[in-house]
Amino acid sequence: MDNPTGATATIPAGEASAAASNRTILKSVCRSCHGGCGVNLHVVDGRLVKVEGDRTSPLNKGRLCPIGTSTLDIVYHPDRLKYPMRRTGARGEGKWERISWDEALDEIARRLQAIKDEHGAQAIALGTGTGRHHIRWVSRFGHALGTPNWCEPGFAQCFHPRINTTILTFGDLPVNDFTSGTKPECIVYWGHNPMNSGPDGETRFVVRDSLAGKPKTIVVDPRRTELAKEADLWLQLRPGTDDALALAMLHAIIEEKLYDAAFVAEWTHGFEALSERVKRYSPEWAAPITWVPAEKIRAAARLYAATKPSMMEWGCAIEHTPNTIQTVRAISMLPALTGNVDVPGGWVFGMHGLGRFPSLIENLTPEMSAKRLGADRFKMLAGEGADLPAAHIPTLLSAMRDGDPYPVKAFLVFGNNTLTTFGNAKQAYEALMKLDLLVVADLFMTPTCELADIVLPAASWPELDQLAALPTIAGNVVLAQRKAVRIGECKADEEIFIELARKMNLPVGTEDLDVVLGDQLARGCGMPLDELRERGFLDMPMRFHKYRDKGFKTPTGKLELYSTRLEAMGYDPLPYYEEPPESPLATPDVAKDFPLVLTSGARIPFFFNSEHRQIRALRRAHPNPIMEVHPQTAASLGIKHGDWVWIETLRGRIRQKAKVTDGIDPRVVHVEHGWWFPEEPGPDHGVWRSNANVLTRNGPPYDPAMGTYHLRGLLCRIAPVLPGES
Ligand SMILES: Nc1nc2c(c(=O)[nH]1)N[C@H]1C(S)=C(S)[C@@H](COP(=O)(O)OP(=O)(O)OC[C@H]3O[C@@H](n4cnc5c(=O)[nH]c(N)nc54)[C@H](O)[C@@H]3O)O[C@H]1N2
Ligand SMILES: Nc1nc2c(c(=O)[nH]1)N[C@H]1C(S)=C(S)[C@@H](COP(=O)(O)OP(=O)(O)OC[C@H]3O[C@@H](n4cnc5c(=O)[nH]c(N)nc54)[C@H](O)[C@@H]3O)O[C@H]1N2
Ligand code: SF4
Ligand SMILES: [Mo]
């Protein structure tokens, strides 16, 4: 389903051809999702007229998804924010005046300085969204300002548990070898559906292409996705129980001696301890927890272990419960035990074509770092176990709302629709309403922008210069992102940070953008910035079995099944199972009133999280929020396909339209995330009606090392929306 929207990425042919003589074509990279599809940007008289997939790019070979195809509609949408604005009425009243950039930045600088002087730098927090071009620039500006408190809703909930955990276990983040040409014989899709999502760190087209060689596939998903339909084995588990399933597969692989004995003996640390630990987690133990029959778990273990090379494609579903670190660890041990590590057609470590980003974290004193919200408890998120430490969001929200453990007075949000994507959206709202200063930089006037003191118009990806390296962290393909046009007074987030740092006379973080980018390249692949911009991208040849030279980059030099670093931080060095805190087994009393298991957030190919509802072609392809329910459950409650349905949890209720399907277990319900209705009036734009995060919880217990809260596998009840109900 590459482009069923019929959206066109070109302006009318006449206009384009009339101006064809002064056409410039820039090689760039689409950044509307985590992927990095190569593109050619056609510019005529300062206007972007065409965005086409770059046929020479190894990542997309000329293809674009529906979102990439809609780039012109996004860039030139009439609702784009085009100049800075200051609030004139009460917070959230929707009254604004236009101001200049100078006025906006002067006022922000003045108010930040006053808060810093009165409460300390830690009273200023920064926020951003998932994996965007400027994500690390947000932390950089925070560190330059002297605050340790920056956050992103994915840090404890998405990808970073995988990054931080695999760095402990393997010394590096493994990715899949999609580009060397070696055909995988088996692929596991675990809580991940790259048919719909532009996945974390990969690009969707190479992931899809890997299916062409007809590998065996194993799909771990509570919903019958396109991949599940075609799979050799579909493990339809209860949401939130991935850890139990992985532990049971490890049990079977060890008990039946299906592991790669030579690799395990030479290259792993702690195999005996792991074997002892997983003895208790047999497939028969896991069956009633996961709802997957024991025989099927064994069959999956056998198929995976016997078929090489094997890839593991994993998604954020495994990071949406409060036992994230152990879940990621347990799943990552499947490739580890079967020797599918740094091999062609399997998991590989990257070439790191982009040098480490200068986050300026060294600018924080140890005392200030220790003040990072959550650092005392969640060391894998906010402390020494994190690749790039970030603040714990629920703790940050309490600091804003209640001044606990200390007051946070300002929040600068660069590309995050807080009210839609943070767990427990109502608490997020209460926290934002308490701030002295809320600044939001975005492309559109979101419900979160509506609460701001100052709104800044951000540049979208074809409006700015940057670098990208895909897969993320691994950096095998390095790409130059090019500024092709300017819209209104929009500015790149990076430029805003640099200007603000200069205005505030900060000691660091004031260098020109190109200096930072050039330096990152010099410390990575070594190619000069101008040359990369000319060529568009650099595809670095892969090397395999890199650990054979100097061992794994872990304290023992081995792949640590038993994690010495987790142990040193005071966490369990071996994986274990923990039932999700709200579930039919953990809270049977709650389950009496809320009998269904709720999961959320399976990706929609036409939207990126809370974005793109205002893009007509994309919205036409998916006009309404859709919940999924089994025919049996629907019939028992009088719900028909296409009905609006209430979905209610202990936190609140929302409505979405029913898709009645036997592709979901009768005991499970799925809701989409990210919904608000840009076409409806502000300030809330309908954000409370269908927003999945009205339903989710962000209270304790959290993952002990990562602070992760609970987005998938909660308890809910559903009922038809009756005429006249609102
Ligand atoms: N219930 C539930 N909640 C979830 C999830 C789930 O599965 N279920 N998934 C979670 C996950 S995995 C993640 S990563 C988060 C994602 O959460 P977010 O990253 O916050 O979500 P987005 O909607 O992608 O982005 C937020 C805003 O960034 C703006 N934006 C886009 N490009 C730019 C730019 O270049 N500059 C600026 N300044 N703004 C820009 C968009 O217009 C949008 O308003 O959501 C999480 N929330
Ligand atoms: N088009 C598009 N692309 C995107 C995004 C987007 O919103 N739209 N969002 C981006 C972001 S932030 C992320 S993190 C990635 C996410 O993309 P993926 O990692 O592919 O994850 P999801 O699509 O959220 O979920 C994948 C599958 O997990 C299943 N699932 C639900 N609950 C559970 C569970 O408890 N266990 C298991 N094993 N499976 C479960 C769902 O049924 C779904 O089919 O996509 C990124 N790319
Ligand atoms: S998959 Fe992502 S990077 Fe590729 S065209 Fe779509 S939005 Fe752009
Ligand atoms: Mo994410």
Side-chain angles (χ1 to χ4, degrees):
M1 215 205 295
D2 286 349
N3 180 22
T5 64
T8 165
T10 55
I11 61 164
E15 208 177 328
S17 58
S21 52
N22 44 9
R23 177 179 297 249
T24 316
I25 302 176
L26 291 171
K27 266 183 176 290
S28 189
V29 46
C30 176
R31 299 303 288 150
S32 272
C33 82
H34 296 137
C37 293
V39 290
N40 294 322
L41 301 178
H42 294 239
V43 183
V44 175
D45 293 335
R47 189 175 170 92
L48 186 62
V49 296
K50 182 173 172 183
V51 177
E52 65 181 357
D54 178 359
R55 287 176 199 284
T56 66
S57 166
L59 301 175
N60 58 312
K61 301 189 177 79
R63 290 160 291 181
L64 296 177
C65 81
I67 299 174
T69 310
S70 301
T71 301
L72 289 185
D73 297 334
I74 298 170
V75 172
Y76 291 109
H77 196 285
D79 295 348
R80 278 287 301 276
L81 292 166
K82 294 198 188 68
Y83 41 81
M85 291 190 293
R86 179 196 285 131
R87 161 166 83 81
T88 55
R91 188 180 295 290
E93 203 187 346
K95 292 192 178 150
W96 303 99
E97 63 178 351
R98 177 176 177 170
I99 53 175
S100 69
W101 271 104
D102 256 347
E103 284 175 284
L105 297 183
D106 280 341
E107 180 170 336
I108 295 168
R110 183 174 45 76
R111 292 173 72 175
L112 288 181
Q113 193 60 52
I115 290 170
K116 194 172 165 182
D117 292 344
E118 190 181 340
H119 301 278
Q122 74 282 357
I124 300 169
L126 288 112
T128 185
T130 178
R132 300 201 183 283
H133 57 93
H134 62 287
I135 180 168
R136 288 177 183 244
W137 285 76
V138 177
S139 67
R140 176 181 164 94
F141 178 75
H143 298 151
L145 194 61
T147 175
N149 287 324
W150 80 284
C151 71
E152 191 263 287
F155 252 60
Q157 268 73 227
C158 173
F159 198 37
H160 292 264
R162 274 171 279 168
I163 296 171
N164 293 343
T165 302
T166 53
I167 288 176
L168 295 197
T169 311
F170 299 77
D172 198 356
L173 171 78
V175 296
N176 290 291
D177 169 36
F178 288 119
T179 47
S180 78
T182 307
K183 170 177 162 319
E185 295 298 333
C186 177
I187 309 182
V188 182
Y189 298 94
W190 198 306
H192 177 49
N193 182 17
M195 293 296 118
N196 284 5
S197 61
D200 302 314
E202 302 282 3
T203 55
R204 73 172 69 190
F205 297 108
V206 287
V207 180
R208 288 174 182 203
D209 290 348
S210 61
L211 284 166
K214 302 246 176 294
K216 300 278 183 208
T217 60
I218 302 172
V219 173
V220 183
D221 199 308
R223 295 164 53 246
R224 192 177 58 222
T225 58
E226 268 176 77
L227 285 172
K229 275 183 210 153
E230 304 293 323
D232 293 276
L233 278 170
W234 171 33
L235 309 183
Q236 188 183 15
L237 84 173
R238 169 164 67 99
T241 64
D242 297 84
D243 191 18
L245 184 64
L247 289 164
M249 283 177 70
L250 291 173
H251 174 107
I253 286 173
I254 295 175
E255 184 192 49
E256 298 183 24
K257 298 203 175 358
L258 303 173
Y259 53 89
D260 180 335
F263 178 81
V264 166
E266 192 173 354
W267 289 111
T268 67
H269 171 75
F271 178 68
E272 292 308 319
L274 176 71
S275 308
E276 191 52 39
R277 171 61 62 91
V278 300
K279 268 193 188 141
R280 66 184 87 151
Y281 299 125
S282 68
E284 292 67 27
W285 162 84
I289 294 173
T290 58
W291 301 345
V292 182
E295 253 331 289
K296 218 167 183 182
I297 301 176
R298 286 190 190 276
R302 287 177 196 136
L303 177 63
Y304 178 73
T307 323
K308 289 187 186 177
S310 231
M311 288 183 174
M312 170 68 71
E313 266 284 307
W314 49 3
C316 67
I318 62 173
E319 295 161 322
H320 286 173
T321 67
N323 198 25
T324 284
I325 292 298
Q326 299 300 351
T327 304
V328 174
R329 288 248 311 144
I331 297 173
S332 76
M333 287 177 193
L334 294 166
L337 289 188
T338 52
N340 278 299
V341 178
D342 222 12
V343 293
W347 256 8
V348 286
F349 302 121
M351 299 307 292
H352 298 280
L354 205 52
R356 206 174 160 77
F357 179 76
S359 76
L360 304 179
I361 196 163
E362 65 283 359
N363 195 50
L364 297 178
T365 60
E367 296 72 39
M368 195 46 103
S369 278
K371 284 190 185 165
R372 185 176 300 106
L373 291 162
D376 50 340
R377 288 169 293 160
F378 311 119
K379 294 176 189 162
M380 297 278 292
L381 167 72
E384 68 211 69
D387 184 44
L388 178 62
H392 183 237
I393 286 179
T395 311
L396 178 65
L397 294 179
S398 327
M400 290 176 186
R401 192 182 65 171
D402 312 319
D404 176 33
Y406 55 73
V408 165
K409 297 287 181 184
F411 194 30
L412 312 184
V413 180
F414 285 80
N416 158 244
N417 192 352
T418 314
L419 296 186
T420 57
T421 52
F422 279 26
N424 193 356
K426 284 185 181 161
Q427 194 204 6
Y429 173 81
E430 288 163 16
L432 298 190
M433 290 302 284
K434 283 289 200 63
L435 290 164
D436 287 352
L437 176 66
L438 175 63
V439 176
V440 183
D442 206 298
L443 311 181
F444 292 96
M445 187 53 112
T446 65
T448 305
C449 283
E450 293 274 11
L451 303 183
D453 297 275
I454 293 184
V455 169
L456 301 175
S460 71
W461 67 261
E463 301 158 50
L464 59 100
D465 285 317
Q466 247 297 3
L467 296 172
L470 270 288
T472 311
I473 308 289
N476 300 336
V477 183
V478 187
L479 305 101
Q481 182 183 338
R482 300 305 308 281
K483 177 173 180 162
V485 286
R486 180 154 195 213
I487 303 297
E489 294 182 7
C490 297
K491 268 190 211 280
D493 301 84
E494 293 84 343
E495 296 291 351
I496 303 174
F497 289 129
I498 293 167
E499 287 183 29
L500 211 43
R502 288 175 182 167
K503 269 209 193 291
M504 296 186 75
N505 289 320
L506 298 183
V508 287
T510 53
E511 302 94 317
D512 283 342
L513 177 71
D514 277 7
V515 172
V516 179
L517 302 184
D519 183 51
Q520 259 191 289
L521 277 182
R523 284 181 292 103
C525 62
M527 184 176 276
L529 188 55
D530 287 345
E531 190 182 334
L532 186 71
R533 285 180 172 157
E534 190 63 34
R535 288 166 61 153
F537 63 87
L538 173 69
D539 185 5
M540 299 177 73
M542 276 302 293
R543 280 192 304 114
F544 300 97
H545 299 115
K546 296 180 279 295
Y547 59 87
R548 286 182 184 161
D549 299 341
K550 290 187 187 155
F552 289 87
K553 293 177 210 142
T554 59
T556 57
K558 300 274 179 84
L559 194 165
E560 294 199 358
L561 303 171
Y562 183 100
S563 171
T564 55
R565 287 194 59 208
L566 274 179
E567 184 175 46
M569 285 185 273
Y571 304 118
D572 197 325
L574 290 166
Y576 60 86
Y577 180 65
E578 186 85 42
E579 178 66 19
E582 182 180 295
S583 82
L585 301 186
T587 51
D589 46 330
V590 179
K592 274 190 212 135
D593 290 329
F594 298 90
L596 297 167
V597 177
L598 173 72
T599 191
S600 68
R603 268 42 180 176
I604 305 165
F606 310 104
F607 307 131
F608 191 73
N609 299 310
S610 72
E611 286 192 81
H612 304 132
R613 270 61 171 192
Q614 60 282 83
I615 308 302
R616 204 180 306 144
L618 296 173
R619 186 67 180 280
R620 213 185 293 134
H622 197 102
N624 293 302
I626 302 292
M627 59 85 69
E628 287 178 27
V629 57
H630 190 274
Q632 224 172 291
T633 314
S636 73
L637 296 165
I639 293 167
K640 293 189 297 304
H641 191 77
D643 282 354
W644 283 98
V645 175
W646 291 117
I647 307 102
E648 186 175 4
T649 66
L650 280 175
R651 274 71 54 191
R653 71 174 186 174
I654 60 165
R655 58 189 129 137
Q656 300 199 352
K657 263 186 146 187
K659 173 178 170 187
V660 176
T661 165
D662 64 1
I664 195 162
D665 189 284
R667 296 161 286 183
V668 178
V669 160
H670 174 265
V671 295
E672 292 176 351
H673 81 307
W675 275 94
W676 60 291
F677 301 88
E679 68 279 12
E680 292 187 13
D684 52 299
H685 302 284
V687 72
W688 304 115
R689 189 171 338 126
S690 300
N691 175 355
N693 284 319
V694 168
L695 305 176
T696 53
R697 71 197 287 279
N698 70 345
Y702 303 112
D703 181 279
M706 198 75 200
T708 314
Y709 51 71
H710 198 179
L711 295 173
R712 303 196 191 198
L714 298 151
L715 291 173
C716 76
R717 64 182 169 212
I718 60 173
V721 175
L722 301 175
E725 266 189 329
S726 60

